[in-house]
Amino acid sequence: LAKTTQPISMDSYEGQEVNITCSHNNIATNDYITWYQQFPSQGPRFIIQGYKTKVTNEVASLFIPADRKSSTLSLPRVSLSDTAVYYCLVGDDNTDKLIFGTGTRLQVFP
Amino acid sequence: EPEVTQTPSHQVTQMGQEVILRCVPISNHLYFYWYRQILGQKVEFLVSFYNNEISEKSEIFDDQFSVERPDGSNFTLKIRSTKLEDSAMYFCASETGNNEKLFFGSGTQLSVL
């Protein structure tokens, strides 16, 4: 049973804000939501993590509604270098088996 | 920022041969992982390792696979008798264990001929 569902792909243009939504209907009480970015032939790289409401760091924001059944990664003013695959994961601190879904392939055009 | 180091970056082997992929996790991390990614596909969990033993493993991680932490710094993945379908990018990752973020290495591209 897949834990997360994301759009397969998204297109954007430089300077735009991009919002990628992930569904996790079966999220458990102790699960955190974490997003990773992956460039071709590189390992995934941590972007942001949250439990509820809103989290912001220097590269992105993460919006989590009260029911926590979905989350939205927001990338402000994307550039060409943001072209990558973005993965949403859920898991708790007792999970040693973080599972990646198929991810969302973001293509940023000039 | 500290890094997870993997060697070699590329490994070519003949079917049926044994390979050992090496990783040096970040020094104060306690949890270690191997993932793999077949070209064009998603990142797949193989195994997690904590306190010198396997804590979780996937269906992919069969008897042909083993992991070891032979000393205080290295973490290795051994494939005893490689198959063509083992060709993939193998990523090592580590974390402190307090639900912190996973740090991934840059991967070893394994090609089985």
Side-chain angles (χ1 to χ4, degrees):
Chain A
L1 180 64
K3 294 190 76 172
T4 62
T5 303
Q6 302 173 235
I8 293 173
S9 64
M10 294 181 71
D11 292 337
S12 184
Y13 292 92
E14 282 190 292
Q16 289 190 335
E17 178 184 83
V18 171
N19 297 307
I20 306 174
T21 297
C22 177
S23 296
H24 27 81
N25 291 317
N26 298 321
I27 190 168
T29 303
N30 295 328
D31 283 346
Y32 283 78
I33 300 156
T34 312
W35 285 79
Y36 286 84
Q37 175 192 54
Q38 187 182 28
F39 298 113
S41 300
Q42 294 187 27
R45 188 178 68 144
F46 173 90
I47 303 174
I48 198 166
Q49 183 182 73
Y51 182 78
K52 61 181 179 181
T53 62
K54 177 183 174 183
V55 179
T56 296
N57 62 22
E58 63 277 7
V59 298
S61 295
L62 179 59
F63 298 91
I64 305 170
D67 66 6
R68 303 198 330 120
K69 292 184 183 298
S70 66
S71 59
T72 299
L73 174 73
S74 181
L75 305 172
R77 297 180 300 281
V78 294
S79 63
L80 296 176
S81 62
D82 292 316
T83 294
V85 179
Y86 293 82
Y87 296 95
C88 162
L89 283 76
V90 296
D92 63 22
D93 55 7
N94 293 315
T95 300
D96 297 338
K97 190 178 178 180
L98 286 173
I99 303 298
F100 284 77
T102 52
T104 297
R105 187 173 300 275
L106 173 66
Q107 178 69 55
V108 180
F109 294 96
Chain B
E1 188 173 68
E3 287 185 344
V4 173
T5 305
Q6 289 187 244
T7 55
S9 56
H10 293 84
Q11 174 90 49
V12 180
T13 190
Q14 296 289 327
M15 189 171 57
Q17 295 294 306
E18 174 184 285
V19 294
I20 297 177
L21 310 183
R22 303 181 190 280
C23 170
V24 178
I26 294 170
S27 61
N28 64 335
H29 285 187
L30 301 176
Y31 287 78
F32 314 111
Y33 303 82
W34 283 101
Y35 285 80
R36 79 173 186 188
Q37 187 172 33
I38 296 170
L39 184 64
Q41 299 186 23
K42 65 180 182 180
V43 178
E44 300 177 289
F45 171 83
L46 292 178
V47 66
S48 58
F49 191 87
Y50 169 71
N51 200 26
N52 284 319
E53 61 183 26
I54 291 173
S55 49
E56 296 265 10
K57 61 182 181 179
S58 71
E59 308 79 44
I60 302 169
F61 195 87
D62 61 21
D63 292 344
Q64 294 299 315
F65 291 86
S66 62
V67 289
E68 191 178 33
R69 189 157 162 80
D71 52 40
S73 60
N74 291 287
F75 179 51
T76 62
L77 173 69
K78 181 192 291 186
I79 308 175
R80 290 190 183 80
S81 178
T82 51
K83 304 186 286 287
L84 295 177
E85 54 264 39
D86 293 328
S87 294
M89 180 75 91
Y90 288 80
F91 294 108
C92 173
S94 68
E95 62 159 336
T96 59
N98 293 322
N99 200 33
E100 293 289 325
K101 61 185 180 182
L102 288 178
F103 287 79
F104 283 81
S106 54
T108 293
Q109 179 64 57
L110 176 65
S111 298
V112 182
L113 305 179

